[in-house]
Amino acid sequence: MAYCLGAVIIQEAEHLAGWLGSALSIGLASTTLAARDLWDHARAVDDPLQAGDLPAARGAVAMIVGRDTAELSESEVARATVETVAESVSDGVIAPLLYLAVGGAPLALAYKAVNTLDSMIGHRDERYAYLGWASARLDDLVNWIPARLSAVLLLLGAGLITQELERIRNGWRVFQRDGSLHPSPNSGRPEAAMAGILGIRLGGTNFYDGIAHDRPILGVEGRSAEPRDMTLAATIMVAASGLGVILAVGIKWLV
């Protein structure tokens, strides 16, 4: 539905004027990309932490995570932010770019529709059991390649930003070893890569509505996350996004 609607709108705009169709296509495509939002959200958490305002940082991180944040420590706030940045590189940047390159704005819109549906009802829920299961499995399918590609681009982005070969090696090792430990078949891939790059532990115990949920540790030999890790993670995300744009242009040219 999203694909057809997007294609029809763009086609009708092109009938009116070629430039209008192109402008509309670019505008619609831009709505599927979230690199700037990720950067802004990471900064919104980091700024109050740097100022020593932990309650404000908790409030900011609550805008991007689903877990309880009222009692998070400084390290847990940093971990939550890094996890979100790493995971969202895939579904917020690289996956839309990939589908834009292959099928233009309509396919990118279709991807975002699948991703949004999974976010809304993809969890276990008796009322939406079958629909939620189907949404979650479809989301797993469309993110399979982008998630793994995102991990590789994060590693390359880390190389560009830090110019430290050891970070790339450690990121690759943790990605290969721990990427499959996450409950999601996809989310753990970029998270594990980021954990190795930064040399920190991601995962562990999170609380949702007061109930503890334990997840495997990614990068178990690493240290606890610190505020400075958020800035580096966001910077690496931007570099990976830039590499994703270059890759998407290359794919578009070949296709």
Side-chain angles (χ1 to χ4, degrees), residues 213-233:
H213 294 261
D214 293 321
R215 289 185 175 179
I217 301 294
L218 308 180
V220 66
E221 69 278 19
R223 57 178 170 78
S224 297
E226 300 175 6
R228 60 189 172 94
D229 296 312
M230 297 187 299
T231 300
L232 183 54

Side-chain angles (χ1 to χ4, degrees), residues 165-248:
L165 185 58
E166 185 58 32
R167 286 187 184 272
I168 301 176
R169 288 174 174 167
N170 196 50
W172 177 259
R173 180 177 60 82
V174 178
F175 162 58
Q176 291 285 86
R177 186 193 68 197
D178 298 347
S180 62
L181 298 180
H182 196 281
S184 164
N186 297 317
S187 298
R189 313 298 170 159
E191 285 190 30
M194 186 67 83
I197 290 168
L198 300 178
I200 63 175
R201 297 188 301 274
L202 297 179
T205 302
N206 298 323
F207 287 84
Y208 297 86
D209 296 324
I211 300 174
H213 294 261
D214 293 321
R215 289 185 175 179
I217 301 294
L218 308 180
V220 66
E221 69 278 19
R223 57 178 170 78
S224 297
E226 300 175 6
R228 60 189 172 94
D229 296 312
M230 297 187 299
T231 300
L232 183 54
T235 305
I236 291 171
M237 177 275 296
V238 171
S241 299
L243 292 172
V245 170
I246 295 172
L247 178 62

Side-chain angles (χ1 to χ4, degrees), residues 4-235:
C4 294
L5 184 60
V8 168
I9 291 175
I10 293 171
Q11 186 176 37
E12 290 301 317
E14 288 176 342
H15 285 325
L16 294 175
W19 66 268
L20 181 59
S22 297
L24 184 59
S25 182
I26 293 171
L28 291 174
S30 68
T31 66
T32 68
L33 301 171
R36 178 57 185 270
D37 286 342
L38 280 174
W39 174 266
D40 289 344
H41 282 302
R43 293 301 306 171
V45 179
D46 184 56
D47 288 345
L49 272 189
Q50 296 298 336
D53 190 349
L54 182 56
R58 289 167 175 164
V61 80
M63 302 298 293
I64 56 174
V65 300
R67 72 195 67 174
D68 300 342
T69 62
E71 302 298 328
L72 293 184
S73 66
E74 183 178 271
S75 176
E76 289 169 330
V77 168
R79 173 171 69 86
T81 304
V82 171
E83 287 173 353
T84 298
V85 168
E87 178 184 357
S88 298
V89 168
S90 178
D91 58 18
V93 184
I94 303 305
L97 281 172
L98 183 61
Y99 288 109
L100 273 170
V102 174
L107 191 59
L109 290 170
Y111 165 77
K112 292 304 291 186
V114 170
N115 190 244
T116 301
L117 189 62
D118 174 63
S119 299
M120 293 173 62
I121 60 174
H123 51 79
R124 297 174 184 267
D125 186 290
E126 291 184 5
R127 183 179 181 184
Y128 299 109
Y130 295 108
L131 184 58
W133 178 89
S135 300
R137 299 293 76 77
L138 181 58
D139 186 72
D140 289 343
L141 178 63
V142 299
N143 279 301
W144 198 92
I145 292 176
R148 288 149 182 80
L149 178 60
S150 296
V152 173
L153 292 176
L154 284 172
L155 292 169
L156 295 176
L160 290 175
I161 297 300
T162 69
Q163 298 183 350
E164 297 177 24
L165 185 58
E166 185 58 32
R167 286 187 184 272
I168 301 176
R169 288 174 174 167
N170 196 50
W172 177 259
R173 180 177 60 82
V174 178
F175 162 58
Q176 291 285 86
R177 186 193 68 197
D178 298 347
S180 62
L181 298 180
H182 196 281
S184 164
N186 297 317
S187 298
R189 313 298 170 159
E191 285 190 30
M194 186 67 83
I197 290 168
L198 300 178
I200 63 175
R201 297 188 301 274
L202 297 179
T205 302
N206 298 323
F207 287 84
Y208 297 86
D209 296 324
I211 300 174
H213 294 261
D214 293 321
R215 289 185 175 179
I217 301 294
L218 308 180
V220 66
E221 69 278 19
R223 57 178 170 78
S224 297
E226 300 175 6
R228 60 189 172 94
D229 296 312
M230 297 187 299
T231 300
L232 183 54
T235 305

